[in-house]
């Protein structure tokens, strides 16, 4: 039986009183909601919301984005949480209709709400669904399309199965070719080892060409899962779109995938999570368009190169290094070098997972080859440090040398918390330098290809 979703439009009108004003202002919401299931009143249905929010004289944002929880019987509420921009500030509208059988019509059409900025209340008001003018268009807008499984990337769907002691990550890194700025969007779910409820959190960071990196965190908020990717607290990272706000940051990006998936770790480790963690790219590279606002600055992206990636495992490594390098011409180099936290594995040198996607083919052919070699012989080597780290290795008649430089002035230090409560620290730059040399044996080593990236490599070093 083919599954279907629900799409509908809704308009609400009302008033708002801002904390810095004495009077009310008119407000109008025009929303488009999309759910991945047929909307039925007896169950809870989650929907993604996009649309336009207008506050007379102060806001007119046609790129509002958020989420809707429709649960009129199970939880007796219809909750709205929508992020939008007003005068360069990123606000969140948070409210719900409290459904009650004593006042069914009023409770289903009246939405009290509060406006928040960085967690602080900055306004409140009430919206109403206009029955006289809005009911017929509302009912006529309902559609029940077949689930577009081919459009939703299955690699983005959450891997977490409810087990404690797990962490899951969706992250995106890219470079704005117009300004040279690097961008990092990190979305993470943590299921604590003690069985506490899973929570979602993350951050956004911009690495300007001139000046220090800036960042803002979001969450933690409860994690309820989503079939197409990450969606929590007004932040979304799903098929073809990333949107959200955190502090003075806000972003609305479209993503166009280019190339096949790239499994940095063995392909089987993504399907069967037997290793401490697994890492993969749903597409080897992607292009990003849209806007990223931070503070008073705004980046307008048009086909910016980058990639999204996924991690699923038990937590962070004891020590690690990571590189994503767009080499141009469709070629990409991805490296993860890590020392595991597991007993026994924590005594080994860093295991190197290196994948060079070049001319439509991936080298080494198997991800295990760079990490374990042949019965331990011929493993790739990593020398992890800062501001410079290095990876080198050989397989068959080819060998590669990679030197990555993370200048301190371009590097941002952030902390992680593992499911067991332990802490780790990463030092990330989306404006790293990298020198990559690929050689081939012809009786002597001869250079086959070489790349030198200045400020366009994405790299990270982490430890405990």
């Amino acid at each position: 039986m083919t599954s279907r979703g629900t799409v509908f439009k809704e308009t609400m009108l009302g008033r708002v009183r801002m904390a810095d004003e004495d009077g009310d202002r008119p407000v109008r919401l025009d929303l488009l909601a999309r759910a991945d299931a047929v909307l039925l009143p007896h169950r809870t249905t989650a929907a993604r919301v996009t649309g336009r929010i207008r506050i007379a004289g102060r806001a007119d944002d046609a790129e509002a984005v958020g989420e809707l929880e429709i649960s009129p019987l199970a939880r007796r509420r219809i909750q709205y949480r929508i992020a939008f921009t007003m005068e360069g500030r990123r606000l969140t509208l948070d409210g719900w209709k409290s459904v009650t059988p004593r006042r069914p019509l009023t409770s289903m059409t009246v939405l009290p709400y509060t406006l928040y900025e960085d967690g602080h209340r900055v306004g409140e008001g009430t919206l109403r669904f206009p029955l006289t003018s809005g009911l017929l268009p509302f009912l006529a807008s309902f559609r029940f399309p077949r689930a577009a499984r081919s459009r939703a990337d299955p690699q983005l769907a959450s891997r977490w199965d409810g087990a404690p002691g797990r962490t899951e990550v969706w992250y995106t890194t890219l470079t704005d070719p117009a300004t040279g700025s690097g961008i990092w969007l990190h979305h993470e779910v943590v299921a604590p080892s003690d069985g506490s409820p899973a929570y979602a959190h993350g951050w956004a960071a911009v690495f300007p060409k001139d000046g220090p990196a800036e960042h803002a965190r979001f969450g933690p908020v409860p994690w309820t899962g989503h079939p197409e990717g990450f969606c929590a607290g007004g932040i979304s990272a799903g098929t073809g779109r990333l949107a959200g706000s955190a502090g003075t940051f806000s972003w609305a990006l479209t993503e166009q995938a280019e190339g096949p998936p790239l499994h940095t770790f063995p392909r089987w480790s993504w399907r069967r999570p037997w290793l401490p963690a697994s890492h993969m790219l749903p597409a080897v590279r992607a292009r990003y368009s849209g806007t990223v606002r931070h503070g008073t600055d705004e980046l307008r992206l048009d086909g910016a190169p980058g990639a999204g990636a996924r991690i699923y495992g038990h937590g962070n490594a004891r020590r690690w290094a990571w590189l994503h390098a767009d080499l141009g011409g469709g070629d990409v180099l991805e490296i993860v070098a890590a020392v595991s936290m597991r007993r026994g594995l924590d005594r080994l040198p860093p295991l190197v997972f290196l994948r060079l996607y070049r001319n439509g083919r991936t080298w080494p052919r198997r991800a295990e080859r760079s990490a374990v070699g042949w019965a331990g012989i011929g493993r790739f080597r990593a020398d992890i440090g800062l501001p410079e780290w290095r990876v080198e290795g050989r397989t068959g008649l080819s060998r590669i040398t990679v030197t990555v430089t993370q200048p301190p002035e371009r590097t941002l230090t952030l902390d992680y918390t593992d499911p067991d409560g332990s802490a780790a620290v990463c030092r990330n730059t989306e404006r790293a330098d990298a020198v990559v040399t690929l050689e081939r044996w012809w009786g002597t080593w001869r250079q086959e290809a070489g790349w030198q990236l200045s400020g366009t490599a994405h790299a990270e070093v982490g430890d405990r």
Side-chain angles (χ1 to χ4, degrees):
M1 183 175 179
T2 303
S3 61
R4 291 182 177 271
T6 304
V7 178
F8 64 90
K9 296 180 180 179
E10 182 180 23
T11 294
M12 286 185 286
L13 308 173
R15 314 283 297 184
V16 66
R17 174 166 291 187
M18 304 301 297
D20 57 357
E21 295 182 335
D22 295 329
D24 295 345
R25 289 179 180 267
V27 179
R28 177 181 175 121
L29 267 66
D30 294 287
L31 303 177
L32 174 64
R34 295 183 178 90
D36 295 311
V38 174
L39 198 161
L40 297 173
H42 67 278
R43 68 185 184 191
T44 300
T45 304
R48 304 175 300 284
V49 176
T50 57
R52 184 177 184 182
I53 295 183
R54 284 173 276 189
I55 299 176
R58 299 201 65 172
D60 187 354
D61 187 357
E63 297 182 349
V65 62
E67 53 196 7
L68 181 60
E69 181 192 90
I70 308 168
S71 186
L73 296 181
R75 299 182 180 179
R76 293 191 177 183
R77 70 181 186 187
I78 303 174
Q79 185 171 13
Y80 295 72
R81 185 175 175 86
I82 306 168
F84 67 100
T85 300
M86 183 187 79
E87 299 171 343
R89 301 156 58 190
R90 196 64 174 172
L91 306 185
T92 299
L93 183 153
D94 193 348
W96 62 85
K97 301 172 182 176
S98 299
V99 181
T100 170
R102 291 178 297 174
R103 296 180 294 111
L105 192 61
T106 300
S107 63
M108 290 282 286
T109 58
V110 177
L111 173 66
Y113 67 90
T114 303
L115 296 181
Y116 293 95
E117 181 181 20
D118 297 335
H120 301 289
R121 180 178 296 189
V122 296
E124 56 186 19
T126 302
L127 289 160
R128 289 178 171 83
F129 177 78
L131 281 171
T132 304
S133 61
L135 182 58
L136 287 179
F138 172 70
L139 294 176
S141 73
F142 271 79
R143 300 288 185 272
F144 302 95
R146 295 180 186 274
R149 296 185 183 276
S150 61
R151 295 176 59 191
D153 191 336
Q155 311 289 2
L156 294 176
S158 177
R159 299 279 294 142
W160 183 54
D161 59 2
R166 299 292 191 275
T167 185
E168 183 168 18
V169 177
W170 296 253
Y171 72 82
T172 301
T173 61
L174 58 114
T175 299
D176 177 18
T179 64
S181 298
I183 297 168
W184 179 23
L185 302 176
H186 181 99
H187 316 79
E188 183 170 346
V189 174
V190 178
S193 301
D194 62 5
S196 301
Y199 62 89
H201 73 112
W203 52 80
V206 171
F207 297 73
K209 185 174 182 179
D210 300 311
E214 304 172 30
H215 81 285
R217 291 182 180 265
F218 56 85
V221 295
W223 173 250
T224 56
H226 197 276
E228 286 191 16
F230 182 97
C231 186
I235 312 291
S236 61
T239 303
R241 181 173 173 81
L242 301 105
S245 64
T248 62
F249 281 64
S250 64
W251 60 95
L253 300 174
T254 59
E255 178 187 65
Q256 183 175 354
E258 298 181 350
L262 182 70
H263 286 265
T264 320
F265 285 43
R267 186 183 298 267
W268 56 261
S269 70
W270 188 251
R271 299 191 305 268
R272 301 178 180 87
W274 298 334
L275 296 180
S278 188
H279 178 280
M280 63 87 62
L281 282 64
V284 68
R285 66 196 305 272
R287 296 280 182 178
Y288 298 87
S289 299
T291 59
V292 176
R293 301 183 180 97
H294 57 108
T296 58
D297 297 324
E298 179 179 273
L299 296 173
R300 293 186 175 272
L301 308 177
D302 184 11
R310 300 277 280 109
I311 302 171
Y312 183 60
H314 296 264
N316 294 283
R318 181 175 297 279
R319 189 161 54 102
W320 73 89
W322 161 80
L323 172 72
H324 175 81
D326 191 316
L327 305 175
D331 299 341
V332 170
L333 175 64
E334 192 81 16
I335 299 175
V336 175
V339 177
S340 173
M341 289 288 290
R342 284 190 179 175
R343 184 173 298 178
L345 295 178
D346 58 357
R347 298 183 180 181
L348 296 174
L351 297 178
V352 178
F353 294 93
L354 181 148
R355 312 295 278 153
L356 174 63
Y357 183 80
R358 179 170 178 252
N359 298 329
R361 302 181 67 179
T362 304
W363 177 88
R365 190 169 60 88
R366 297 185 63 87
E368 298 92 333
R369 178 62 183 82
S370 60
V372 300
W374 297 103
I377 300 173
R379 292 189 329 111
F380 284 32
R381 298 185 300 276
D383 182 12
I384 301 176
L386 283 175
E388 184 177 288
W389 55 276
R390 181 182 174 93
V391 167
E392 58 184 0
R394 168 187 173 180
T395 178
L397 298 177
S398 297
R399 75 177 181 184
I400 193 169
T401 303
V402 184
T403 303
V404 180
T405 304
Q406 298 183 215
E409 66 275 10
R410 302 185 214 158
T411 298
L412 175 66
T413 301
L414 291 175
D415 60 290
Y416 292 81
T417 301
D418 281 343
D420 64 2
S422 61
V425 176
C426 79
R427 296 164 182 86
N428 178 289
T429 177
E430 304 304 319
R431 296 200 64 251
D433 304 328
V435 177
V436 181
T437 303
L438 182 66
E439 298 174 295
R440 189 164 180 84
W441 178 257
W442 297 98
T444 183
W445 289 109
R446 299 179 185 175
Q447 182 169 320
E448 181 178 349
W451 300 269
Q452 186 165 346
L453 283 65
S454 179
T456 60
H458 308 156
E460 178 176 295
V461 169
D463 55 26
R464 298 283 169 169

